[in-house]
Amino acid sequence: MSTVPASPYPYPLPPRGSGARVALVIIDMQRDFIEPGGFGAALGNRVEHLQQIVPTVAALLKTFRELSLPVIHTREGHRPDLSDCPPAKKLRGDSTLRIGDPGPMGRILVLGEPGNDIIPQLRPEAGELVIDKPGKGAFYATNLQEHLKTLGITHLIFTGVTTEVCVQTSMREANDRGYECLLIEDGTESYFPDFKQATVRMIQSQGGIVGWVTTADRLIASLRQAYAGGAA
C-alpha cells in the first residue's frame, strides 16, 4: 500500500483497483472571503493570510485533474429568501453587515451573488462536484454523503478556509462518518494564524483523533507515485 509522509504517522492511500478512492475537498475558496474588497475584508480581516494558499491549492487541483481523481468544491451560502439561514446565525455578532445584506460583492452569503462564487484561480471544471452548504460543515443539510458513496470515496484530502471553522467542522463530520481524512497544512489558512496552528495540533493529537496532517508537496509526490498512468 502506498502512503503519504504525514503526522502523526504515514497516511494510507487506497490501492488502485481496490474499489476505494481518494478525493480532494476544497472548502469555501470564495471571493467574499479571499479577495480584497469582499465581505471578509469589510469585517476588518486580513485577507492576505487566505490569499497565500491559493497557489498551493491550485497546484493540488492541477494534480488531481491530471490524475483523473475526484475533486469536490464547497461554497457557504443561503437561498435568496434566507429560509435555510437560522435566525441565530444571521443575528450573531455586532457587525453592521449581516447575511443577506448588500455587501461589496452583492448580497452577503447568498447563492448566486458574485461574492459567493469561487475565486477564478480555482474555478470548478465540468464534472467536478460543487456543494452549496448553509452551515459550517460540508455534510450538514447537503447531499455530499450520497455523492461520496456513489463515487466510492473513502479518503478525503482537505484544503481551504478557514482552518478552524469550516475546514475543521467538515473534517470532523467526515471523520465521524468513517472517512480517512488528511489535512494539507500549507493548503489551509485562517485570518488568525494562531487559530490555524491550534487546529492543526488538535486534528493530529492522540494518534490522529480527527485525521492526519501533511504538506502539499509530500501529497503530490505520493499521488504521482501511486496513481500515475491511471486513476485510482
Side-chain angles (χ1 to χ4, degrees):
M1 175 181 290
S2 297
T3 60
V4 181
S7 179
Y9 55 90
Y11 175 81
L13 289 172
R16 184 187 302 164
S18 65
R21 301 181 77 195
V22 60
L24 177 66
V25 184
I26 304 176
I27 301 287
D28 297 1
M29 295 293 284
Q30 297 162 239
R31 296 184 62 205
D32 244 339
F33 297 147
I34 294 171
E35 292 185 357
F39 179 45
L43 295 179
N45 294 308
R46 296 181 61 184
V47 295
E48 61 266 28
H49 289 310
L50 274 55
Q51 291 171 348
Q52 67 186 2
I53 69 168
V54 172
T56 301
V57 179
L60 287 164
L61 180 57
K62 181 175 182 288
T63 299
F64 270 73
R65 286 170 173 168
E66 289 175 352
L67 296 176
S68 299
L69 296 170
V71 175
I72 300 159
H73 306 260
T74 76
R75 296 181 294 208
E76 183 178 356
H78 297 278
R79 299 172 187 143
D81 63 2
L82 304 186
S83 59
D84 58 351
C85 180
K89 181 178 182 181
K90 179 175 171 55
L91 298 175
R92 187 77 47 83
D94 59 0
S95 172
T96 57
L97 290 175
R98 298 189 181 277
I99 296 171
D101 290 348
M105 298 183 187
R107 293 181 67 202
I108 295 168
L109 286 186
V110 170
L111 301 176
E113 295 290 327
N116 195 245
D117 202 7
I118 293 168
I119 60 173
Q121 301 94 313
L122 304 174
R123 184 168 290 133
E125 290 187 350
E128 293 176 352
L129 183 60
V130 179
I131 297 293
D132 287 310
K133 59 187 184 65
K136 308 296 190 295
F139 289 85
Y140 170 69
T142 74
N143 58 1
L144 176 58
Q145 174 81 330
E146 289 74 15
H147 281 292
L148 295 178
K149 287 183 176 180
T150 298
L151 293 170
I153 304 300
T154 54
H155 293 58
L156 295 172
I157 311 299
F158 283 90
T159 64
V161 299
T162 61
T163 313
E164 78 278 9
V165 184
C166 294
V167 175
Q168 180 178 207
T169 300
S170 299
M171 196 168 179
R172 288 179 179 273
E173 287 181 332
N175 176 70
D176 282 346
R177 289 164 173 79
Y179 294 97
E180 302 285 18
C181 300
L182 176 64
L183 177 68
I184 306 303
E185 186 169 3
D186 53 344
T188 183
E189 197 50 81
S190 170
Y191 295 122
F192 311 99
D194 54 332
F195 288 4
K196 171 184 172 177
Q197 293 308 315
T199 303
V200 169
R201 291 197 300 272
M202 283 188 286
I203 284 169
Q204 61 186 302
S205 68
Q206 302 181 67
I209 192 169
V210 176
W212 289 257
V213 177
T214 194
T215 58
D217 59 344
R218 289 175 175 174
L219 175 65
I220 289 171
S222 298
L223 289 173
R224 293 196 180 282
Q225 183 176 19
Y227 303 134

